[in-house]
Amino acid sequence: MDRYVVIGNPVAHSKSPQIHRRFAAQTGESLSYDTLEAPLDGFAASVAAFVAAGGRGANVTVPFKEDAFRLATQRSARAESAGAVNTLRVEDDGSLYGDNTDGAGLVRDIEHNLATAIRGRRVLLLGAGGAARGVILPLLDAGAAELCIANRTAEKAVQLATLADDARVQGGGYAELAGAFDLIINATSAGLSDQTLPLSATVFAPGALAYDMVYGRSTPFMQQAQAAGARVADGLGMLVEQAAEAFVVWRGVRPDTAPVLAALRQS
Ligand code: NDP
């Protein structure tokens, strides 16, 4: 049986084992999937031991996505653009291929599960941390007409916009936001501590979709968006879709995410 893990610290709370075990059962792929907690200063050693024991691939979560980026000897374009790796595949010669499936997961959740077009739309991305950086290229590739990045520390948003090197992208602070957006994506961690973002109701265009990457709770951002008449989604679909994308990287088979997402929502 091929072995896969999710590596993080802490990692016991991760939903990835549930998701990947369901994918494996559904597709008939013979694999095991468990959690692996690496010491904060011992990511590379934990991966080396896992590979030596025959491990075939890993998802990587907080706080190791940048360590995984440095450890991978080959990387996909979307990993390069994200500056972070959330999926490692052990190649036949034992080397590590690094990919980042977070952005593809977000785009698929929005376009497929939420039936919302990105092409031609004005998109507002809130936050300039690792999660925000990872979704910029996939949103541009999906055809966003404009991508504004707003962050509490405005310089970080400006830096991300410069890095993107695309005329459609602008970065700045919340105070500089102007006009209405069709798609507003919250990639900040503010919702985890119930903090409200300084957003005017006018950023939500009529019929806008407001997407919070945080899942499992109703955040102040979701409440602001609802009050402004926007449709609201949490990040559970992104979590399941990024996992499906990782499953494709490892196994070459795309699982059906709908029943897995429905089961997670129920639990
Ligand atoms: P980082 O720590 O790298 O970045 C956090 C970001 O949130 C920064 O831009 C920070 O701004 C901003 N922020 C934090 N608190 C506040 C606040 N009170 N007001 C305004 N801005 C704030 O985190 P990540 O980018 O790695 O993750 C962000 C979120 O995305 C997390 O909540 C995570 O759970 C979620 N996520 C969900 C995924 C999914 O599959 N659904 C996948 C990946 C992430 P500043 O720069 O000014 O500090």
Side-chain angles (χ1 to χ4, degrees):
M1 226 189 228
D2 290 342
R3 285 185 61 210
Y4 295 87
V5 287
V6 54
I7 308 180
N9 186 333
V11 76
H13 67 283
S14 172
K15 294 189 192 303
S16 292
Q18 280 184 57
I19 296 172
H20 282 284
R21 287 174 195 159
R22 284 180 193 271
F23 287 166
Q26 184 198 95
T27 57
E29 292 288 305
S30 173
L31 58 88
S32 68
Y33 193 108
D34 298 290
T35 56
L36 174 57
E37 185 168 290
L40 289 175
D41 60 352
F43 176 74
S46 295
V47 173
F50 172 68
V51 172
R56 301 298 303 159
N59 284 131
V60 181
T61 187
V62 177
F64 297 127
K65 291 184 186 183
E66 282 159 15
D67 298 81
F69 179 86
R70 287 189 287 272
L71 205 58
T73 50
Q74 292 176 71
R75 293 185 289 251
S76 65
R78 55 195 187 181
E80 292 289 351
S81 155
V85 155
N86 79 337
T87 302
L88 286 169
R89 183 178 69 208
V90 183
E91 306 291 44
D92 290 339
D93 63 1
S95 67
L96 292 172
Y97 171 76
D99 200 349
N100 192 313
T101 63
D102 281 337
L106 172 74
V107 166
R108 196 168 166 89
D109 192 34
I110 291 171
E111 290 186 332
H112 189 77
N113 301 338
L114 300 165
T116 301
I118 296 173
R119 183 162 300 281
R121 301 296 166 90
R122 277 196 95 202
V123 180
L124 173 59
L125 180 60
L126 307 172
R133 182 171 169 183
V135 301
I136 292 172
L137 181 66
L139 287 168
L140 293 173
D141 285 350
E146 233 180 283
L147 180 61
C148 287
I149 308 168
N151 194 46
R152 178 174 61 183
T153 313
E155 307 85 73
K156 285 204 225 163
V158 173
Q159 259 172 25
L160 284 193
T162 307
L163 211 61
D165 192 24
D166 187 302
R168 292 173 289 170
V169 185
Q170 286 182 340
Y174 287 91
E176 295 151 50
L177 283 174
F181 296 85
D182 308 302
L183 176 59
I184 303 93
I185 299 165
N186 185 11
T188 77
S189 49
L192 293 178
S193 48
D194 286 327
Q195 303 208 30
T196 303
L197 298 171
L199 283 175
S200 148
T202 56
V203 301
F204 302 96
L209 173 67
Y211 192 103
D212 202 324
M213 287 194 192
V214 166
Y215 52 83
R217 59 200 296 158
S218 170
T219 64
F221 167 74
M222 291 178 186
Q223 291 152 22
Q224 278 171 296
Q226 248 154 2
R231 282 183 299 140
V232 168
D234 75 356
L236 193 64
M238 174 178 176
L239 180 77
V240 173
E241 295 297 344
Q242 65 75 28
E245 201 70 27
F247 201 85
V248 174
V249 171
W250 294 327
R251 311 299 297 184
V253 181
R254 182 172 290 279
D256 180 5
T257 51
V260 178
L261 184 52
L264 280 185
R265 285 242 181 262
Q266 264 191 349
S267 70

